Amino acid sequence: MKVEVSRKPLDYAVNRPPIWCPGCGDYGILEALRRALAELGVPNEEVVVVSGIGCSSQLPHFMKTYGIHGIHGRAVAIATGVKIANPRLKVVVVGGDGDGYGIGLNHMIHAARRNVGLTYLVSNNQVYGLTTGQMSPTTLKGVKTKTTPFGSLDEPVNPLALALAAGATYVARGFSGDVAHLAKLIKDALMHRGFALVDVLSPCVTFNRVNTYDWFRARVYKLEEAGHDPGDYFQAYRKALEWPTLDPVGRIPIGLFYRNEDKPAYEEEVVKLLGGKAPIEADLQPSAEAVAALLKG
């Protein structure tokens, strides 16, 4: 008989403090993730946190779970392998906008179209913080950084619109300045069947002096308080375009944009292909006869 154990956010904490700058938005993401796991009562040994490179990618080091600190832009690819091998695990991917929407963008698109059961938390601070403040894929047009001293000429990437277009079945945006709201989005993402993107507006207090906590607080509004229907794909897409595509200085919707629980997760299809067994349980070694038949053609 399985014994239910009540859990607290600190049950997922390790005995060392984070090394982020005081006030960094990543603290809010860390706390929200711990709260979400605690509310769901997920055992520590059933969670794997995978990250790439960047400030936010330090997060697995501060979680008492399994963790993989991978290479730049490849966290989603690593996490995909983990989830397919053992679908029973809760696999959380963490990274920044540079890691996820720059070098690793292709992996996000393909994980979304395959509907791999990952919870992808992107700490979107609109700058490369670890390398001291260069323009990132989500830096707003006109913003001055170390690599754009006269203002960025680039239109920013719109990650939510991209995820929706790629076929993602759970698309949300949170704000690290509202941890309770963010924890709810992450909790729902962890329970979702398939790929879940939670883009998190996460101010870099050291190298981004434009998109601050006050800047976001003056602009964000919650979709659930505005009558948004997350089951309506086209309404979700229109909301995703509100910011930063159509009005980069206007209001910013946060909350759940879209959710579709009907599409099978990729790992479910793999288990079906293997006769009901997960890859870690199945005998994947082909027999000598099967190899001979394959070579014979």
Side-chain angles (χ1 to χ4, degrees):
M1 184 178 70
K2 188 174 182 179
V3 178
E4 297 294 332
V5 178
S6 175
R7 297 177 190 276
K8 301 175 182 176
L10 282 179
D11 291 334
Y12 300 91
V14 295
N15 190 27
R16 58 175 296 207
I19 56 173
W20 298 311
C21 302
C24 173
D26 292 339
Y27 286 98
I29 298 173
L30 177 63
E31 174 61 19
L33 175 59
R34 288 173 177 170
R35 286 190 197 182
L37 290 168
E39 288 181 18
L40 292 172
V42 185
N44 299 60
E45 66 273 17
E46 294 182 10
V47 181
V48 182
V49 183
V50 183
S51 69
I53 296 296
C55 293
S56 57
S57 292
Q58 298 284 335
L59 193 143
H61 295 273
F62 314 126
M63 291 290 293
K64 189 188 291 183
T65 63
Y66 288 109
I68 301 173
H69 193 166
I71 56 178
H72 206 192
R74 308 299 174 222
V76 172
I78 297 168
T80 296
V82 173
K83 185 65 179 180
I84 291 174
N86 188 353
R88 296 188 185 87
L89 296 172
K90 294 288 187 188
V91 182
V92 180
V93 189
V94 179
D97 47 295
D99 188 78
Y101 300 151
I103 188 171
L105 180 62
N106 60 331
H107 294 300
M108 185 191 82
I109 289 171
H110 293 296
R113 76 178 174 89
R114 292 171 178 142
N115 203 31
V116 183
L118 307 176
T119 299
Y120 191 17
L121 311 179
V122 180
S123 177
N124 186 354
N125 61 16
Q126 300 166 275
V127 73
Y128 279 95
L130 186 66
T131 49
T132 73
Q134 295 79 24
M135 181 186 73
S136 82
T138 55
T139 300
L140 295 179
K141 188 172 183 177
V143 170
K144 295 179 180 178
T145 69
K146 283 186 175 178
T147 48
T148 57
F150 304 108
S152 170
L153 298 176
D154 296 7
E155 295 290 347
V157 164
N158 187 326
L160 302 192
L162 276 173
L164 286 166
T169 50
Y170 183 102
V171 178
R173 178 189 285 136
F175 173 40
S176 59
D178 188 341
V179 173
H181 184 254
L182 178 59
K184 174 67 166 63
L185 294 174
I186 295 175
K187 180 181 173 183
D188 290 347
L190 288 166
M191 296 170 66
H192 177 65
R193 179 192 191 194
F195 183 81
L197 171 67
V198 183
D199 178 71
V200 186
L201 305 172
S202 180
C204 174
V205 296
T206 302
F207 296 109
N208 188 338
R209 303 300 175 88
V210 176
N211 309 112
T212 64
Y213 285 98
D214 288 342
W215 191 91
F216 283 117
R217 286 195 178 102
R219 290 167 173 78
V220 298
Y221 73 94
K222 294 177 179 174
L223 288 169
E224 59 271 29
E225 296 174 357
H228 175 65
D229 175 10
D232 186 330
Y233 175 83
F234 294 103
Q235 188 180 112
Y237 199 82
R238 285 194 293 273
K239 285 294 178 185
L241 294 180
E242 275 189 18
W243 184 85
T245 307
L246 298 181
D247 188 1
V249 296
R251 299 181 75 204
I252 303 172
I254 61 173
L256 178 59
F257 285 66
Y258 181 67
R259 177 166 54 196
N260 175 6
E261 299 284 350
D262 295 332
K263 185 177 178 180
Y266 191 80
E267 61 274 13
E268 294 175 17
E269 304 278 50
V270 173
V271 169
K272 190 185 299 181
L273 197 67
L274 297 176
K277 292 184 178 180
I280 59 165
E281 303 165 330
D283 181 5
L284 301 178
Q285 181 66 39
S287 65
E289 293 77 12
V291 173
L294 182 66
L295 293 175
K296 189 176 179 181

